[in-house]
Amino acid sequence: MAAYRYCEAVTGLQARNFSYGIRLLPEPKRLAMSALYALARRVDDIGDGELPPERKADQLLRTRDLLDEIRAGEVAEDDTDPIKVALADAARRFPIPLGGFDELIDGVEMDLKGAEYRTYEQLKVYCRCVAGSIGRLSLGVYGCEDPVRGAEYADTLGLALQLTNILRDLREDAVNGRTYLPAEDLARFGCEQGFALARPQAGADFAGLVAFEAARAQQAFAEGLRLLPLLDRRSRACTAAMAGIYHRLLGRIASDPESVLRGRVSLPGWEKAYVALSGLAGGRS
């Protein structure tokens, strides 16, 4: 239980949006989801950290080894890594498709290689790795009355969430030398020079670009939320809460595109709590 508490602490401190949703789950599922998030956070932190690329690659390889240990049932209860212990226990209790973590690592490795995306189809592959994978991992904990359709909807909902993240973080990513939006879209709207400034470049149709990408995300939300009827009530509420927070965030960005160049757009705590409670009551918010 101490290992799970550590994972819950990681989730509460580093994933406010995620934690609002999983609070709605019964304890066994909530703990398992905390373990999932804690390892996902570790993988993301490796990719975003200050270590040289070769050290990052080594740590990602070690994480793949950790997953192999869990799959082989070789994790001792007194292992000194609480995330490993908690996830191993969760994998014994729930049919978690641990290969989703391998896909997440694949996505982080794309970042380390400086991958850029010429087309939307190429970007969707990346989004499947870093976001759709988390949705499919979560289904292993939630349970789903139609696993095949559920996995497809989870992928699409992950795409919606990741597109929202990409729009929210345009400026921050640009400062760090990263561009995720497809090159063909940047060219279409005259935004090839990037987003390192707090104002759009002269002649760029930045508002048009944001509207175009937001419409894509909105379409993905509409398709991905078809997952909800396939889940039990508490899992549906959890998913609706997390998706609802990002959906509202997308609306804020669409209504004021240049806000993403001025700083990170976010929702106040009271609004996140309202969305979570609406999810529990059966709404999509």
Side-chain angles (χ1 to χ4, degrees), residues 4 25 27 34 38 43 47 54 60 68 75 92 95 98 116 123 127 130 133 153 157 164-165 172 177 223 229 259 281:
Y4 278 123
L25 294 171
E27 184 178 52
S34 294
V43 173
E54 61 273 12
L60 292 175
D68 287 340
V75 180
R92 286 191 292 267
L98 293 173
E116 295 185 354
L123 178 61
C127 292
V130 299
S133 61
Y153 293 146
L157 189 56
T164 303
N165 271 338
E172 180 180 334
E223 176 69 13
S259 63

Side-chain angles (χ1 to χ4, degrees), residues 249-270:
L249 183 62
L250 179 67
R252 294 277 177 89
I253 293 169
S255 66
D256 182 11
E258 290 188 24
S259 63
V260 298
L261 299 179
R262 297 191 296 267
R264 173 170 286 207
V265 180
S266 63
L267 301 182
W270 68 264

Side-chain angles (χ1 to χ4, degrees), residues 17-26 29-30 33 138 141-142 157 161 225 227-228 231-245 275-283:
N17 291 346
F18 190 80
S19 64
Y20 273 98
I22 66 172
R23 290 175 191 172
L24 304 177
L25 294 171
K29 291 185 177 183
R30 188 183 74 247
M33 289 295 290
S138 300
V141 176
Y142 295 157
L157 189 56
L161 301 180
L225 285 170
L227 172 65
L228 297 183
L231 305 177
D232 65 66
R233 179 175 176 267
R234 299 280 285 276
S235 299
R236 182 166 61 246
C238 174
T239 304
M242 290 187 285
I245 288 169
V275 173
L277 289 172
S278 296
L280 188 60

Side-chain angles (χ1 to χ4, degrees), residues 3-265:
Y4 278 123
R5 296 307 177 204
Y6 175 86
C7 294
E8 284 195 302
V10 170
T11 304
L13 287 172
Q14 301 190 41
R16 298 294 176 85
N17 291 346
F18 190 80
S19 64
Y20 273 98
I22 66 172
R23 290 175 191 172
L24 304 177
L25 294 171
E27 184 178 52
K29 291 185 177 183
R30 188 183 74 247
L31 294 176
M33 289 295 290
S34 294
L36 290 183
Y37 175 80
L39 185 61
R41 180 75 262 169
R42 175 180 291 179
V43 173
D44 284 343
D45 286 346
I46 292 171
D48 294 335
E50 301 298 327
L51 293 175
E54 61 273 12
R55 289 283 306 281
K56 291 183 177 182
D58 180 66
Q59 289 200 3
L60 292 175
L61 183 59
R62 290 174 182 271
T63 306
R64 292 190 192 273
D65 292 339
L66 178 155
L67 292 167
D68 287 340
E69 287 183 56
I70 294 174
R71 280 187 276 253
E74 297 175 349
V75 180
E77 291 186 6
D78 60 352
D79 192 286
T80 57
D81 183 344
I83 295 176
K84 184 197 297 187
V85 172
L87 185 58
D89 185 75
R92 286 191 292 267
R93 296 172 184 270
F94 299 96
I96 298 170
L98 293 173
F101 282 114
D102 291 292
E103 289 184 75
L104 175 61
I105 294 171
D106 290 342
V108 172
E109 288 177 340
M110 292 180 198
D111 284 337
L112 295 185
K113 295 173 183 176
E116 295 185 354
Y117 307 98
R118 185 175 57 84
T119 68
Y120 182 51
E121 291 303 312
Q122 292 174 348
L123 178 61
K124 285 166 69 175
V125 173
Y126 172 77
C127 292
R128 174 184 169 85
C129 287
V130 299
S133 61
I134 304 302
R136 284 177 274 112
L137 285 162
S138 300
L139 285 185
V141 176
Y142 295 157
C144 182
E145 66 181 44
D146 187 337
V148 174
R149 280 200 302 150
E152 293 174 354
Y153 293 146
D155 261 342
T156 306
L157 189 56
L159 172 63
L161 301 180
Q162 190 62 25
L163 287 174
T164 303
N165 271 338
I166 288 171
L167 289 174
R168 181 195 64 187
D169 297 340
L170 274 182
R171 179 81 186 282
E172 180 180 334
D173 288 335
V175 171
N176 291 323
R178 294 178 180 175
T179 301
Y180 290 98
L181 292 181
E184 63 182 11
D185 296 350
L186 301 181
R188 176 178 178 180
F189 293 95
C191 294
E192 301 98 318
Q193 295 184 55
F195 314 104
L197 301 177
R199 299 280 298 174
Q201 294 284 342
D205 183 10
F206 181 74
L209 174 68
V210 172
F212 181 74
E213 304 298 351
R216 273 180 168 163
Q218 178 63 47
Q219 183 178 6
F221 270 117
E223 176 69 13
L225 285 170
R226 294 172 68 181
L227 172 65
L228 297 183
L230 305 180
L231 305 177
D232 65 66
R233 179 175 176 267
R234 299 280 285 276
S235 299
R236 182 166 61 246
C238 174
T239 304
M242 290 187 285
I245 288 169
Y246 277 89
H247 196 212
R248 283 185 170 231
L249 183 62
L250 179 67
R252 294 277 177 89
I253 293 169
S255 66
D256 182 11
E258 290 188 24
S259 63
V260 298
L261 299 179
R262 297 191 296 267
R264 173 170 286 207
V265 180

